[in-house]
Amino acid sequence: MSTNQPTTADRDQVVIFDTTLRDGEQSPGASMTLEEKLQVAALLDEMGVDIIEAGFPIASNGDFEAVTEIAKVVKNAVVCGLARAGNADIDRAAEALKHAERRRIHTFIGTSPLHRQFQLQLDKDQVYERVVSSVTRARNYTDDVEWSPMDATRTEHDYLCRTVEAAIKCGATTINIPDTVGYTTPDEFEALIRMLIEKVPGAGDVVFSTHCHNDLGLAVANSLSGVAGGARQIECSINGLGERAGNAALEEVVMAIKTRGDAYPYYTKIDTTLLMRASKLVSAVSAFPVQYNKAIVGKNAFAHESGIHQDGVLKNAETYEIMKPEDVGVKSTSLVMGKHSGRHAFREKLLALGFELGDNAMEDAFRRFKDLADRKKHVFDEDIEALVEDEMSQAGEKVKLVALTVIAGTGTPPKAVVTLDVDGEHVTREETGDGPVDAMFKAIRAIVPHEANLQLYQVGAVTEDSDAQAEVSVRLEEGDKIVTGRGADTDTMIASARAYVSAVNKLVTRRAKTKPAAELRAV
């Protein structure tokens, strides 16, 4: 991590304009209820968002009500309503915002040749006239007016300068430059912002803003490049929610500025410890899950499975983490136990779970863990606990399971072939039975003869999902001797065999205590 970051006093503030409740909700299937929008707005206000774009009031009665209610409850942020370049839109937005302590009207119109010709069917002069009339009307309601030339990055530069100048002259205080279709590149966008600030009269008196879509995966990069070019507001959304491929993700923009102050000498007022909470809330209310490898707030953002990475993080977190997990609201780094994990991480995990094994036991447990990780997609703490407890229960046993083959199906009797290690000698038996478990237990009984009755056979799942480990319990009763064995494996048959062998070992041990001369015989 950089140790020579500029102090806040040396840097410019980047204003965070959140559009989760407006552009974010326009994602197909992402509609939120009024109560859900109020929850999101309250959290955005708490975390320090400067402007909350609460909705598009004229779009529906629901949107109007949402903006109205949000305007009543938000105490710190500016509440913004979106409006097209028409009187009805602007009047409706002003009506919805009348209860806000601080309000902004955001009005827009398409300026690119494609939008002028095909969407609006207006010429340059007609669009220009609407810019003038819409900004002027909005300015009559509030002194905080934002104007956007939709599809700005595909608009002729001379014409874009002309419309931006008109908006500034009519009273716009923020000029937002949208990359509406996610078409531009970082170098192009920085140059565009810089050109507008240098060429347009009055540009130094307003705030320039970015609104970048993620169609080419460049929304965050373009937004930050826009700031480098002179913009001081970024329009973004939680989890990057938005039209098509989404918007610039708020959490990525904010943490890029916070983490790389050497490259981005700016600051925001966002309380970053609330980022994970906001991500989870928006994901829940929008029903849009966050991808596991999503930057900053994804499940894997602070998780490490590779043995090399885990070893480094355990020694010094900065070897593989450029941010502290607690800075974004994550409790701690997660060492994900999987097939790439090394001994160091496995031993640390065991200690965290309360197990302290000797070297030999550790090696045996680690070997079984690796075998399990090759078969199981996710290895949970409960899996490791079951594995170690199973390993510990088998420590010092005279009989061990070596191999198992079970054949079962319609039209043929179930058959089991079992190989056990009995005091160092491998013994194999084949048996049929009423079912695969019965056949397997008969084969074990043929290798290790006993008269015990099976009192309990119980199967449970250690964790969820179809690849969960099965945990099997077996209880045997022979005279006054009652013993219980446990076994765990992703294969229920193997877990059953382990449990039965474990019980048989305990039975043999109990026999030896009451009959010292008794010997374990292989038949």
Side-chain angles (χ1 to χ4, degrees):
M1 296 182 200
S2 175
T3 58
N4 59 342
Q5 300 221 14
T7 63
T8 298
D10 299 325
R11 298 185 288 177
D12 292 331
Q13 181 189 355
V14 173
V15 172
I16 298 299
F17 178 113
D18 182 274
T19 187
T20 305
L21 296 172
R22 198 278 299 170
D23 199 328
E25 204 205 13
Q26 290 177 201
S27 297
S31 294
M32 309 173 202
T33 66
L34 174 59
E35 183 58 36
E36 290 168 342
K37 289 182 179 181
L38 289 171
Q39 289 180 43
V40 173
L43 183 51
L44 294 175
D45 196 29
E46 180 184 353
M47 69 191 293
V49 166
D50 298 285
I51 300 103
I52 299 173
E53 190 166 48
F56 198 166
I58 205 167
S60 68
N61 290 332
D63 250 35
F64 177 83
E65 183 184 7
V67 176
T68 300
E69 294 305 313
I70 290 170
K72 292 177 182 177
V73 300
V74 168
K75 300 304 180 185
N76 302 308
V78 173
V79 180
C80 178
L82 186 68
R84 293 167 298 187
N87 292 347
D89 278 50
I90 294 168
D91 294 346
R92 189 68 166 163
E95 176 68 16
L97 293 167
K98 66 182 181 181
H99 299 290
E101 293 188 16
R102 301 166 66 201
R103 66 187 65 86
R104 173 181 294 187
I105 294 176
H106 178 192
T107 184
F108 70 96
I109 190 170
T111 55
S112 71
L114 283 167
H115 283 234
R116 294 194 310 263
Q117 180 179 352
F118 296 105
Q119 185 174 33
L120 300 173
Q121 297 179 333
L122 299 174
D123 61 28
K124 287 183 177 181
D125 290 339
Q126 290 172 314
V127 169
Y128 179 87
E129 289 170 3
R130 294 201 181 186
V131 173
V132 171
S133 62
S134 61
V135 174
T136 300
R137 192 174 188 88
R139 194 67 171 75
N140 288 332
Y141 287 111
T142 176
D143 59 4
D144 189 348
V145 175
E146 178 172 329
W147 179 72
S148 293
M150 188 162 62
D151 204 21
T153 55
R154 296 192 295 176
T155 299
E156 308 96 317
H157 285 190
D158 287 347
Y159 184 65
L160 183 61
C161 288
R162 180 186 172 198
T163 54
V164 167
E165 182 181 357
I168 293 173
K169 284 182 176 179
C170 293
T173 50
T174 299
I175 301 296
N176 180 51
I177 305 301
D179 184 27
T180 305
V181 292
Y183 176 75
T184 197
T185 66
D187 288 346
E188 290 174 350
F189 198 59
E190 178 180 347
L192 179 63
I193 298 293
R194 197 178 300 280
M195 180 273 294
L196 290 169
I197 292 174
E198 290 174 354
K199 285 190 173 183
V200 175
D205 300 324
V206 301
V207 174
F208 276 80
S209 171
T210 72
H211 181 109
C212 299
H213 278 264
N214 205 40
D215 297 71
L216 293 177
L218 296 172
V220 170
N222 285 336
S223 298
L224 293 170
S225 292
V227 172
R232 286 298 178 267
Q233 174 179 289
I234 294 178
E235 301 198 0
C236 45
S237 64
I238 301 295
N239 296 337
L241 198 64
E243 291 271 14
R244 302 181 314 281
N247 291 287
L250 181 150
E251 60 278 2
E252 295 178 27
V253 164
V254 168
M255 288 309 296
I257 292 173
K258 179 181 177 71
T259 305
R260 290 302 309 275
D262 54 334
Y264 305 116
Y266 321 111
Y267 73 97
T268 74
K269 292 183 177 179
I270 299 298
D271 179 354
T272 62
T273 64
L274 296 177
L275 289 175
M276 181 59 78
R277 182 175 152 197
S279 172
K280 289 181 176 179
L281 175 61
V282 171
S283 177
V285 300
S286 66
F288 270 46
V290 177
Q291 67 191 64
Y292 279 16
N293 63 334
K294 165 78 171 63
I296 314 300
V297 293
K299 183 177 180 179
N300 290 348
F302 295 94
H304 307 271
E305 181 180 332
S306 163
I308 296 172
H309 287 224
Q310 290 176 339
D311 182 63
V313 168
L314 287 167
K315 291 172 178 173
N316 185 321
E318 292 188 24
T319 54
Y320 289 102
E321 288 184 352
I322 61 171
M323 296 168 280
K324 295 179 181 178
E326 54 268 27
D327 284 350
V328 302
V330 176
K331 186 176 180 180
S332 63
T333 295
S334 172
L335 298 183
V336 178
M337 304 312 296
K339 64 182 181 180
H340 301 296
S341 298
R343 285 175 176 79
H344 188 177
F346 184 65
R347 188 182 292 277
E348 290 294 321
K349 175 62 75 173
L350 292 182
L351 289 172
L353 295 175
F355 298 108
E356 189 167 359
L357 305 182
D359 291 342
N360 291 338
M362 167 66 189
E363 284 303 311
D364 289 342
F366 184 66
R367 175 185 50 78
R368 284 195 59 191
F369 160 71
K370 283 289 195 175
D371 291 341
L372 174 64
D374 279 333
R375 303 195 306 271
K376 196 175 188 298
K377 188 173 183 180
H378 300 295
V379 179
F380 300 96
D381 288 357
E382 295 88 345
D383 291 312
I384 296 174
E385 289 173 344
L387 180 150
V388 174
E389 288 169 356
D390 186 31
E391 189 74 28
M392 292 171 67
S393 71
Q394 296 180 35
E397 291 183 343
K398 293 185 176 183
V399 182
K400 296 181 180 179
L401 179 67
V402 175
L404 170 67
T405 301
V406 176
I407 301 172
T410 58
T412 183
K415 180 174 68 174
V417 181
V418 177
T419 300
L420 300 180
D421 181 319
V422 182
D423 277 342
E425 181 183 353
H426 286 194
V427 184
T428 301
R429 288 291 185 272
E430 178 182 315
E431 294 287 342
T432 59
D434 294 333
V437 174
D438 183 50
M440 178 174 56
F441 287 179
K442 281 184 177 179
I444 295 171
R445 188 168 179 167
I447 298 172
V448 187
H450 61 82
E451 300 300 324
N453 295 317
L454 180 64
Q455 297 295 318
L456 172 72
Y457 171 69
Q458 182 174 296
V459 181
V462 175
T463 56
E464 298 178 354
D465 296 329
S466 59
D467 65 352
Q469 279 196 100
E471 189 171 48
V472 178
S473 296
V474 168
R475 184 184 301 147
L476 298 178
E477 182 178 353
E478 185 181 61
D480 61 350
K481 304 177 187 68
I482 299 176
V483 294
T484 301
R486 291 175 61 253
D489 198 273
T490 52
D491 187 315
T492 305
M493 292 297 101
I494 294 176
S496 300
R498 289 184 183 278
Y500 196 85
V501 168
S502 176
V504 167
N505 271 288
K506 291 178 181 178
L507 189 63
V508 170
T509 301
R510 292 285 295 276
R511 282 179 183 171
K513 288 181 179 179
T514 57
K515 298 179 181 179
E519 293 181 351
L520 181 64
R521 303 187 314 275
V523 177

